[in-house]
Amino acid sequence: MSPATSIAGAVWRQLPFFVWLIALWMLLWGQFTVLAALTGLIVAVFVTRIFRLPPVELSGRVNLWYGFLFIVTFFGALVRGSLLVAWQTLDLRHYPGTAIIAVPLRTDDDLILAHVGVTASLIPGSLIIDIDRDRRILYLHVLGVSSAADVEKQRRAVQAWEARIVRAVGSRAQLAAIRGVDPRLPRGEGAAS
């Protein structure tokens, strides 16, 4: 493999990360202009060259339909969570119960773990307080919990976000893990436990 090919491959693998950094820069400034995109590119290059981070290994698989569904569902959850937290704050008759819950994830990928953690924290009513990376467990502080059924509902909600993210950008092995299928078995074998 020639040096130019390996450089092109490295740039291609890092392109989604650069695009994300530029988009984040534009969101931070609240401007979607050519100037904001150019300064975002400069900042992205600066950040990745000064802070030598290991390369982000992406699955190479993007499902636009599930990505769209994730975005729509996420914005719906933002609105619903905001209204729910506002109601819990204004309802003086009931104290909204709180809990710290452990949510075991089914996939073993740092990027998916980070996406699930950020998604769960951005939705009003829950906040990531700790991550056990080795055991793939997220610990969340959640509002509006008054029973064991509420705890389980919150746990399933976070695992549903994991499934949505994996369907949108996860690898085939991660999709199999979400479905409960052993990826080492031939297609069609293995069942959810």
Side-chain angles (χ1 to χ4, degrees):
M1 182 182 296
S2 71
T5 306
S6 64
I7 291 172
V11 168
W12 180 253
R13 283 191 306 274
Q14 292 299 305
L15 186 62
F17 184 61
F18 267 76
V19 170
W20 172 245
L21 286 175
I22 293 167
L24 184 62
W25 180 259
M26 291 167 62
L27 284 170
L28 286 172
W29 286 102
Q31 297 178 358
F32 296 95
T33 62
V34 174
L35 181 61
L38 288 175
T39 56
L41 177 64
I42 293 168
V43 169
V45 170
F46 178 76
V47 165
T48 56
R49 293 297 154 230
I50 298 298
F51 303 107
R52 291 286 188 172
L53 301 172
V56 177
E57 293 297 324
L58 302 174
S59 69
R61 186 190 143 295
V62 176
N63 186 312
L64 295 177
W65 173 247
Y66 282 116
F68 173 75
L69 287 179
F70 171 82
I71 290 169
V72 169
T73 307
F74 176 71
F75 281 117
L78 281 178
V79 171
R80 182 182 177 280
S82 297
L83 293 173
L84 188 62
V85 169
W87 173 251
Q88 290 170 344
T89 304
L90 296 174
D91 186 11
L92 300 177
R93 297 171 295 150
H94 298 98
Y95 176 77
T98 61
I100 295 177
I101 64 171
V103 181
L105 300 182
R106 295 163 286 186
T107 57
D108 188 18
D109 182 83
D110 290 341
L111 199 55
I112 298 293
L113 180 78
H115 284 313
V116 174
V118 167
T119 301
S121 287
L122 286 175
I123 297 172
S126 65
L127 180 67
I128 298 291
I129 57 171
D130 196 14
I131 296 175
D132 185 343
R133 183 181 172 276
D134 295 331
R135 297 183 344 186
R136 301 180 324 230
I137 297 176
L138 297 178
Y139 294 94
L140 287 87
H141 179 270
V142 294
L143 297 174
V145 175
S146 59
S147 67
D150 290 341
V151 169
E152 191 55 36
K153 180 180 173 185
Q154 289 284 347
R155 188 174 289 123
R156 284 193 315 268
V158 174
Q159 289 172 335
W161 285 113
E162 176 192 21
R164 289 181 189 104
I165 291 167
V166 168
R167 284 187 194 108
V169 295
S171 68
R172 301 211 183 281
Q174 291 165 345
L175 277 170
I178 290 298
R179 292 180 182 134
V181 178
D182 188 343
R184 297 168 296 198
L185 294 174
R187 195 176 206 41
E189 293 184 26
S193 53

